[in-house]
Amino acid sequence: MTYVVKQANTLASPLTGAADMTESADTARTDNMPGVADAADTAHAANVAVRNLTIRLGGNTVIENLDLDVQPGEFVVLLGPSGCGKSTLLHSIAGLIDVTDGSIEIAGEDMTWADPKDRRIALVFQSYALYPTMSVERNLSFALRINGTPKAEIARRVARAAEMLQLGPLLKRKPAQLSGGQRQRVAIGRAIVREADVFLFDEPLSNLDAKLRTELRRELKQLHQRLGATMIYVTHDQVEAMTLATRMAVMRGGAIQQFGTPAEVYARPANLFVATFLGTPAMNLVNGTLEQRDGALHFCTEQWRLDVSNYAFVDRPGESQPQSQPQSQPQSSPRPCVLGVRAEDVRIGPTQGEGAGEHAKISLVEPMGNHRVVWLDYHGVQIASIDQSKTPVMPGDTLAFSLDSTHVSLFDAASGARL
């Protein structure tokens, strides 16, 4: 993949280029309480509006007619598998890639063709890219020094970033004397000293081990609460997306599949891709049909049926959805569909309600500490259940199971779209 890189001379330093933006007003700020953004911080938050964005690289269309609206102060996560276009979208917002068509606005200004240094953004890369011969303090202050920022202002910004990221005791150390987590804190600190309108993060935690990722993920969320800044974050890790995002955009093939709060996307996935990409384990899927039986709408397979009369269908203009019909009316033909249910909504053991009489054999048990994932083989379909009980179960045991019909999802069998 070939990138059209702008301002190559300024990208020689890891802090300049995308992160080398025009300085914000040098208004003094007082330290705020943890978790609360002060007025000066919030004033720097800006909206980002991407309109009909198309990007072609080397003859390949990576993104086509994409729209994205990020509100001031939001933490938006771009989530998706490798090659879905999420980093390309982030780099186009940063000005590192020329767009083929469409527009990009930051703080209400058209920045489509603006140089990276003029976009008032700060970018944190996946690699730390620290200057090995400079101390932490000089790494943090480098871009400010080459921009001619007054020494007093540099000292204030560096001290503020160091206090936020717990870098105070490390300011005199060289990068070689730091752990991976400490180096990434320094990289984030370089962005903070910019006092930018928008912060961009390109998978900044990917190079860290699981424990450090958890720690820095928590610190990033606290940092956002404290700064109140607009942040756009790229990751393929669904845990990062679910825990950090105000809203998340799930991407595939250069298009946004769904954009909403983590709770919305998790509970009401827009299609089968989102349903299976999000969640551990992934959403259980069962093929069947929607049918009218006994005056009620049911999801049916050859072995069982589930009353879905109270299911909240998506309201699409010009499209009629199945409804329960009195037995006296002619019954509509079965509609092929896929039922999805999260593992936590599959109850095992002696339960009450419809489906309680269904039995399946345990194929696998995965202990997870505070819970376990029990895999059931139901007529060749593998169904996962998250079980909190301490009752001993073993592969080969037969259990009764039921589904919580109020938390199921239905998808069109042909298109995969949510019904």
Side-chain angles (χ1 to χ4, degrees):
M1 183 178 291
T2 304
Y3 285 79
V4 181
V5 180
K6 305 168 89 174
Q7 291 292 306
N9 59 325
T10 62
L11 287 174
S13 107
L15 183 57
T16 55
D20 185 22
M21 311 303 159
T22 53
E23 294 182 38
S24 305
D26 297 334
T27 305
R29 303 181 186 180
T30 57
D31 286 338
N32 43 8
M33 296 179 64
V36 180
D38 63 25
D41 285 328
T42 306
H44 281 267
N47 73 303
V48 177
V50 178
R51 295 282 181 269
N52 300 316
L53 185 70
T54 297
I55 297 177
R56 297 187 180 93
L57 300 174
N60 298 317
T61 300
V62 182
I63 293 174
E64 187 169 18
N65 296 328
L66 183 144
D67 292 325
L68 178 68
D69 280 298
V70 181
Q71 299 303 313
E74 273 197 305
F75 197 130
V76 167
V77 175
L78 306 179
L79 173 69
S82 298
C84 71
K86 55 187 185 296
S87 289
T88 301
L89 174 57
L90 188 84
H91 292 169
S92 67
I93 295 172
L96 301 182
I97 300 177
D98 279 330
V99 306
T100 305
D101 197 7
S103 65
I104 299 172
E105 293 183 3
I106 299 175
E109 297 183 37
D110 189 349
M111 294 290 182
T112 309
W113 301 105
D115 289 331
K117 64 183 179 61
D118 297 325
R119 298 193 180 207
R120 300 187 301 277
I121 64 163
L123 177 60
V124 178
F125 294 96
Q126 180 177 344
S127 59
Y128 318 127
L130 303 180
Y131 293 107
T133 60
M134 294 185 185
S135 66
V136 169
E137 183 177 15
R138 291 184 65 79
N139 266 285
L140 291 173
S141 64
F142 180 77
L144 301 179
R145 287 185 280 113
I146 65 174
N147 283 341
T149 304
K151 290 184 178 180
E153 179 63 12
I154 292 176
R156 182 190 70 80
R157 294 192 192 185
V158 169
R160 180 171 176 268
E163 187 271 331
M164 285 184 176
L165 297 170
Q166 303 174 35
L167 293 174
L170 309 176
L171 289 176
K172 301 304 179 183
R173 294 189 187 181
K174 301 289 180 64
Q177 299 171 300
L178 305 177
S179 68
Q182 291 168 337
R183 292 177 190 179
Q184 194 56 277
R185 285 191 183 95
V186 177
I188 295 171
R190 291 184 311 194
I192 291 176
V193 299
R194 304 303 305 165
E195 298 191 349
D197 289 350
V198 179
F199 291 84
L200 307 177
F201 297 87
D202 190 5
E203 303 200 55
L205 308 185
S206 295
N207 292 338
L208 306 178
D209 61 38
K211 185 174 184 295
L212 280 175
R213 281 202 305 270
T214 300
E215 292 176 358
L216 277 181
R217 190 173 68 230
R218 185 177 63 251
E219 291 180 11
L220 273 174
K221 194 174 184 80
Q222 292 172 336
L223 181 65
H224 176 253
Q225 291 173 345
R226 183 167 185 176
L227 288 176
T230 304
M231 296 184 176
I232 304 176
Y233 186 103
V234 163
T235 184
H236 62 272
D237 188 322
Q238 59 173 294
V239 176
E240 288 181 16
M242 292 290 290
T243 54
L244 289 173
T246 306
R247 289 192 296 167
M248 58 193 292
V250 183
M251 295 186 64
R252 181 192 188 192
I256 294 177
Q257 304 294 305
Q258 188 171 2
F259 188 35
T261 67
E264 292 169 349
V265 176
Y266 185 80
R268 292 179 58 82
N271 54 43
L272 285 171
F273 171 77
V274 177
T276 53
F277 189 77
L278 212 58
T280 305
M283 178 177 279
N284 297 298
L285 301 177
V286 181
N287 293 310
T289 57
L290 279 180
E291 302 181 21
Q292 297 288 343
R293 293 193 182 184
D294 303 325
L297 186 65
H298 286 78
F299 172 82
C300 303
T301 70
E302 293 181 359
Q303 293 79 28
W304 61 285
R305 63 179 180 173
L306 182 71
D307 189 337
V308 292
S309 300
N310 295 322
Y311 180 79
F313 287 94
V314 177
D315 184 16
R316 294 189 178 96
E319 181 179 334
S320 61
Q321 297 293 359
Q323 296 179 357
S324 297
Q325 298 175 353
Q327 296 186 52
S328 59
Q329 292 188 8
Q331 302 299 301
S332 58
S333 59
R335 175 176 181 175
C337 73
V338 179
L339 179 140
V341 60
R342 296 290 183 191
E344 59 268 27
D345 297 319
V346 178
R347 299 186 290 261
I348 61 175
T351 59
Q352 302 295 321
E354 187 174 353
E358 299 301 319
H359 291 75
K361 185 173 290 186
I362 297 176
S363 59
L364 182 67
V365 179
E366 295 180 302
M368 305 295 287
N370 64 339
H371 68 275
R372 60 190 176 188
V373 179
V374 180
W375 290 88
L376 306 173
D377 187 344
Y378 183 68
H379 299 281
V381 178
Q382 293 294 311
I383 298 177
S385 171
I386 292 180
D387 181 37
Q388 303 277 356
S389 73
K390 304 298 181 183
T391 305
V393 293
M394 296 290 292
D397 292 349
T398 299
L399 293 177
F401 75 93
S402 65
L403 309 182
D404 186 345
S405 61
T406 62
H407 292 90
V408 300
S409 295
L410 296 174
F411 305 95
D412 182 75
S415 68
R418 185 181 186 87
L419 295 178

